[in-house]
Amino acid sequence: MIFRDPTRGLVLAGINKTPPSVPSDRLAGVLSHAQNDFQRFIMVLVCIHALSGTDIRRLLLTDLDLSRERLIVRRPSKRHIIYLDELTYRCVSAWLRVRHRRWPVTTNPHLLINRWTAVDTTHSAIGTTFTAIFRPAGLTMPTLRQDRIRDEAFEVDDPLHLMRLFGISSHTAMRYITAAHPERTAKLPR
């Protein structure tokens, strides 16, 4: 007996499904797993501001303006401004103190440096994937980033709000809003 799949030739539009949310009990202690100011600052940038590893690696000292409490994230197509909340402000201030104490004469313009990039004359960005920072919490960086955007989408059903807050594209914002509020977006034109 030979079975022929009747759906083999069908082409459907991509099904965009957001990942499941991270349970709140697992999220509650993420920052407690940070071992130093560097790790705490990375965790805050991901868990609160939903920055990707690429965004974090590209940050420059000149992108940070503590007096105006903002951080500019430069992306290939645009700039995204993050307004620093109290926790982020404290974490970046602590990291800057550590950075200046450990490498007071470094000329590397990147905000995040380590012992190799601090003395690198080519001024390269930090080359880590940040995976080890989130491993003790049992979560991954992309999971936490997506969970932050998803959480905001459940709170506010406005894609423009998500676009402004996280600097994401309209397509990505609509994907999160659609997943969070299927009853409100079911009648929208595709």
Side-chain angles (χ1 to χ4, degrees):
M1 184 181 292
I2 299 174
F3 176 73
R4 184 176 177 277
D5 183 6
T7 62
R8 193 174 110 217
L10 293 177
V11 177
L12 301 173
I15 299 172
N16 293 324
K17 194 173 177 186
T18 58
S21 65
V22 177
S24 59
D25 60 329
R26 290 187 70 193
L27 277 176
V30 170
L31 273 181
S32 65
H33 292 285
Q35 297 174 359
N36 53 44
D37 292 319
F38 174 82
Q39 290 184 359
R40 194 170 294 103
F41 182 45
I42 298 294
M43 287 180 173
V44 165
L45 289 176
V46 173
C47 296
I48 295 177
H49 303 288
L51 292 185
S52 68
T54 304
D55 291 338
I56 294 170
R57 276 189 292 280
R58 289 182 182 157
L59 293 174
L60 300 174
L61 273 172
T62 56
D63 295 335
L64 179 64
D65 186 355
L66 286 178
S67 64
R68 296 170 88 184
E69 298 181 356
R70 67 183 199 172
L71 176 66
I72 298 172
V73 179
R74 297 177 194 280
R75 295 183 174 141
S77 59
K78 62 185 174 208
R79 295 179 341 151
H80 171 60
I81 297 175
I82 293 175
Y83 296 96
L84 304 178
D85 57 292
E86 184 181 342
L87 177 62
T88 308
Y89 188 88
R90 280 187 291 152
C91 288
V92 72
S93 297
W95 164 245
L96 287 175
R97 283 190 297 275
V98 169
R99 184 185 193 277
H100 182 69
R101 187 177 65 244
R102 290 185 74 185
W103 305 288
V105 294
T106 185
T107 58
N108 192 322
H110 291 90
L111 181 59
L112 296 169
I113 58 174
N114 58 24
R115 61 182 166 194
W116 297 285
T117 59
V119 296
D120 184 7
T121 58
T122 61
H123 304 306
S124 59
I126 194 166
T128 183
T129 59
F130 307 119
T131 306
I133 294 172
F134 296 94
R135 193 173 293 131
L139 298 165
T140 64
M141 187 174 176
T143 301
L144 288 167
R145 180 180 186 273
Q146 292 167 354
D147 188 69
R148 174 65 182 107
I149 299 170
R150 178 189 162 103
D151 182 56
E152 193 70 26
F154 273 105
E155 293 296 320
V156 180
D157 62 349
D158 182 11
L160 290 175
H161 175 75
L162 293 181
M163 291 168 63
R164 283 188 213 111
L165 187 61
F166 301 116
I168 57 178
S169 69
S170 59
H171 176 70
T172 304
M174 279 307 297
R175 187 174 55 129
Y176 279 98
I177 293 295
T178 303
H181 304 283
E183 71 286 350
R184 293 183 185 175
T185 57
K187 296 178 182 173
L188 291 176
R190 298 281 175 209

